[in-house]
Amino acid sequence: MAHIIGSISTSHVPAIGGALARQKQEDPYWKPFFDGYDKAREWLAQTRPDVVVIVHNDHGLNFFLDKMPTFSVGAADVYQTADEGWGIPALVQPKGCVDLSWQIVETLVEDDFDITTCQEALIDHAVSLPLALLWPEGQAAGAWPVEIVPVCINTVLAPYPSAARCYRLGQSLRRAIESWDDDRRVLVIASGGLSHQLDGERAGFINRSFDQQFMDSLVDDPTWITQYTNDELVELTGTQGIELLMWVAARGVLDDTPVRKLHSHYHVPISNTATGLVVLEQA
Ligand code: DHB
Ligand code: FE
C-alpha cells in the first residue's frame, strides 16, 4: 500500500517564475516570500516523497472556455510545460506516474465523480511553480525528483464545484492512493489561492483575516470552509480567491487520521495575491 506522508498547500503567482529566473530570492520584495519555503524544503529532504498528487486549477492553457471539465486527472507519462503568456520561462517537464493516475481515475469514477482523463496535458504555473519552489535543484538538474499526477479543478468558468464536493474529491483521492498496490511515498500538493482578485472594481482585493481563519481551520476543523457557498467565497476572497478549493480537496485526502501542522507562512502581497503555505503531516 502506498504511504501518504502529508500535504503542502501553496499559492501560485506567475511573477514567482520571473523572480526565480532572475534569481531575485534575496531581493527585499521577494525575500520574505521565498524564506517561507525553507522549512517545507527541509521537511521534504527528510521525508523524500516519490510521487506528488498535485491538485491545481488550470488558467486557460489546457482547457479553454469552449470545453471546461469540472474535475480532470492527468494520465500522461510526461506533462508539457508551455508559454502561457506571462513571460515566464517554461520550466522542466514533469514526468507522470501513469500507474497511480489510472488508479485514481478508476477510483474516482467508482466513487461517482465524472472526470475527464487527460492522456496528454499542458501544465501552467499552477503545477510548475510549486515544483520549482519546493525542489529548486530540479530545474537546474533538468529533472524533478518526483513523478506527478495532476488533478485539476475548474475555477475559471462558473459554475464551480462546492467546497464540500472538493473535500469529498480529496477523500476519494485518499481511497485511490491507499488502494494503489505500490510502496511509494506520496505527497499531496494543493496549488491555488489565497485571497486575490485580478480584475474588475475589486482588483487587488485581499482578506487577511479570512485567509488566516481558513489556514487555521485546516488543522482541526477541515470542513469549516464548507459552510460557505462559492458565491460567498468569491465575496470573501475575491474572484480568484476561489482557487482555495484546491486546499480543501488536498485536506480531504488527509481526512481520516489526525494531522500535525509542521509549518505555515503567510505573506501579502505577491503581485495581487495573498500568498499562503501550510505543511501538514499525517500523525
Ligand atoms: C496572479 C495570481 C494567480 O493565481 C494567477 O493564476 C495569475 C496571476 C497574480 O496575483 O498576479
Ligand atoms: Fe491562479
Side-chain angles (χ1 to χ4, degrees), residues 32-278:
F33 167 77
F34 280 108
D35 283 354
Y37 288 79
D38 291 349
K39 285 238 168 59
R41 281 195 294 269
E42 280 165 29
W43 179 67
L44 289 172
Q46 288 159 17
T47 53
R48 298 184 157 275
D50 305 296
V51 183
V52 170
V53 174
I54 179 160
V55 185
H56 69 286
N57 59 286
D58 180 65
H59 298 80
L61 184 73
N62 195 45
F63 304 114
F64 201 56
L65 304 180
D66 56 336
K67 298 179 194 72
M68 187 57 69
T70 299
F71 299 118
S72 62
V73 178
D77 51 18
V78 64
Y79 293 93
Q80 311 290 322
T81 46
D83 181 355
E84 53 179 297
W86 294 89
I88 57 177
L91 295 173
V92 169
Q93 303 196 342
K95 284 201 174 122
C97 182
V98 179
D99 203 34
L100 180 57
S101 285
W102 285 105
Q103 184 72 26
I104 286 174
V105 166
E106 282 175 25
T107 308
L108 291 185
V109 173
E110 244 172 53
D111 287 348
D112 297 331
F113 284 95
D114 301 318
I115 53 160
T116 298
T117 302
C118 302
Q119 296 189 63
E120 275 180 16
L122 296 172
I123 48 157
D124 68 17
H125 65 276
V127 176
S128 54
L129 290 181
L131 298 176
L133 283 165
L134 295 171
W135 292 281
E137 69 281 8
Q139 180 62 19
W144 306 112
V146 288
E147 292 180 349
I148 69 164
V149 178
V151 175
C152 184
I153 302 178
N154 165 38
T155 53
V156 171
L157 179 67
Y160 314 133
S162 68
R165 187 150 166 78
C166 292
Y167 193 82
R168 288 198 296 275
L169 180 84
Q171 290 172 311
S172 183
L173 287 172
R174 181 194 186 87
R175 208 169 76 74
I177 298 164
E178 290 197 325
S179 59
W180 186 34
D181 187 16
D182 196 293
D183 58 9
R184 272 178 275 183
R185 298 161 65 73
V186 180
L187 168 72
V188 184
I189 293 181
S191 173
L194 290 175
S195 60
H196 62 302
Q197 172 146 347
L198 299 181
D199 50 17
E201 275 174 26
R202 292 203 308 167
F205 176 79
I206 278 172
N207 187 342
R208 284 172 191 258
S209 61
F210 186 85
D211 287 341
Q212 214 67 59
Q213 236 180 328
F214 172 59
M215 287 169 77
D216 290 346
S217 76
L218 290 172
V219 182
D220 296 325
D221 193 7
T223 56
W224 171 83
I225 192 79
T226 62
Q227 69 185 289
Y228 298 106
T229 65
N230 281 339
D231 283 350
E232 288 168 334
L233 287 176
V234 166
E235 197 65 41
L236 284 162
T237 68
T239 41
Q240 280 73 39
I242 193 69
E243 291 179 352
L244 64 74
L245 290 176
M246 313 310 140
W247 295 45
V248 182
R251 185 60 184 83
V253 181
L254 307 185
D255 170 58
D256 275 355
T257 42
V259 299
R260 195 161 33 144
K261 183 167 82 175
L262 289 177
H263 177 57
S264 75
H265 183 73
Y266 184 73
H267 177 73
V268 174
I270 289 296
S271 182
N272 275 310
T273 300
T275 56
L277 171 69
V278 172

